[in-house]
Amino acid sequence: MTNNIEIADKQFEIYINADVIAKRVKEIASALNHDFSGKTPVFISVLNGAFMFTSDLLKHVEGACEVHFVKLSSYSGTGSTGEVKQLVGLNTDLSNRDVIILEDIVDTGLTMKMLIGQISTMHPSSISVCTLLLKPDALVEDIKVNYACFEIPEKFVVGYGLDLDGIGRNLPHIYQII
Ligand code: IMP
């Protein structure tokens, strides 16, 4: 019995177990509950990758909040294309709101930089970035990540929302390429 999986001829091994993810997501929700106590934050979830993280995190967020979705794409296969495509945009009023962006992974930071720039023009009170995964060594853009569940090395991962060309999003654990 092996915990390894294969997607598109590439081998992956379990890297972060579902139980560990669940515990850490709860901790991050507690931090948000503390930091945004008495406020009604607007969560902006970045599809497709952040759908599972968003769903699990928000179950532990207390008090009133809103959630909206944008759909962005910058990856092809296991590498960034360097170009962020916006497939579904923001059509909600964010002026004077506390915005919390929910992302699956911050890699080069290009996607976040583009989204932060776009949201800034909508005059929110604050913008925070909350990501499931952060690859600090891959970061090339100067962006502030306020909440990161896990910092990971510069290796391709799938599962818990993350994919390789569309496959792997349903996996409950996070797998790392071997
Ligand atoms: P960035 O713009 O380079 O920061 O990349 C962010 C996007 O690239 C994420 O939202 C993911 O969709 C994708 N991405 C980056 N690294 C990985 C990975 O290891 N696995 C799956 N997708 C990734």
Side-chain angles (χ1 to χ4, degrees), residues 145-165:
V145 175
N146 306 79
Y147 307 89
C149 294
F150 302 98
E151 292 195 1
I152 65 166
E154 215 175 332
K155 273 185 152 188
F156 195 78
V157 289
V158 293
Y160 197 74
L162 292 113
D163 71 309
L164 169 53
D165 283 345

Side-chain angles (χ1 to χ4, degrees), residues 75-163:
Y75 249 60
S76 175
T78 57
S80 174
T81 59
E83 183 200 350
V84 183
K85 278 189 264 174
Q86 179 135 18
L87 307 171
V88 175
L90 267 174
N91 53 6
T92 188
D93 181 11
L94 296 178
S95 54
N96 303 314
R97 302 300 302 273
D98 292 297
V99 174
I100 305 170
I101 302 172
L102 297 181
E103 175 66 302
D104 57 351
I105 185 164
V106 175
D107 184 46
T108 62
L110 194 71
T111 307
M112 256 325 95
K113 193 173 177 167
M114 183 271 212
L115 191 56
I116 291 168
Q118 195 180 93
I119 293 172
S120 305
T121 66
M122 302 169 89
H123 310 292
S125 292
S126 67
I127 305 176
S128 306
V129 174
C130 176
T131 185
L132 173 70
L133 302 172
L134 170 66
K135 289 180 183 168
D137 298 338
L139 203 57
V140 293
E141 301 293 344
D142 184 20
I143 57 155
K144 182 164 186 227
V145 175
N146 306 79
Y147 307 89
C149 294
F150 302 98
E151 292 195 1
I152 65 166
E154 215 175 332
K155 273 185 152 188
F156 195 78
V157 289
V158 293
Y160 197 74
L162 292 113
D163 71 309

Side-chain angles (χ1 to χ4, degrees), residues 19-93:
D19 297 341
V20 176
I21 300 171
K23 187 167 173 279
R24 185 70 183 131
V25 167
K26 227 172 152 179
E27 282 172 8
I28 293 292
S30 297
L32 293 171
N33 288 335
H34 173 267
D35 297 351
F36 292 88
S37 165
K39 298 184 171 165
T40 306
V42 182
F43 289 93
I44 305 289
S45 171
V46 184
L47 295 174
N48 292 332
F51 80 96
M52 209 176 269
F53 175 46
T54 300
S55 157
D56 287 347
L57 181 88
L58 290 191
K59 283 178 229 168
H60 301 291
V61 168
E62 294 160 0
C65 68
E66 287 179 35
V67 58
H68 299 275
F69 298 88
V70 290
K71 186 166 178 174
L72 305 174
S73 170
S74 68
Y75 249 60
S76 175
T78 57
S80 174
T81 59
E83 183 200 350
V84 183
K85 278 189 264 174
Q86 179 135 18
L87 307 171
V88 175
L90 267 174
N91 53 6
T92 188
D93 181 11

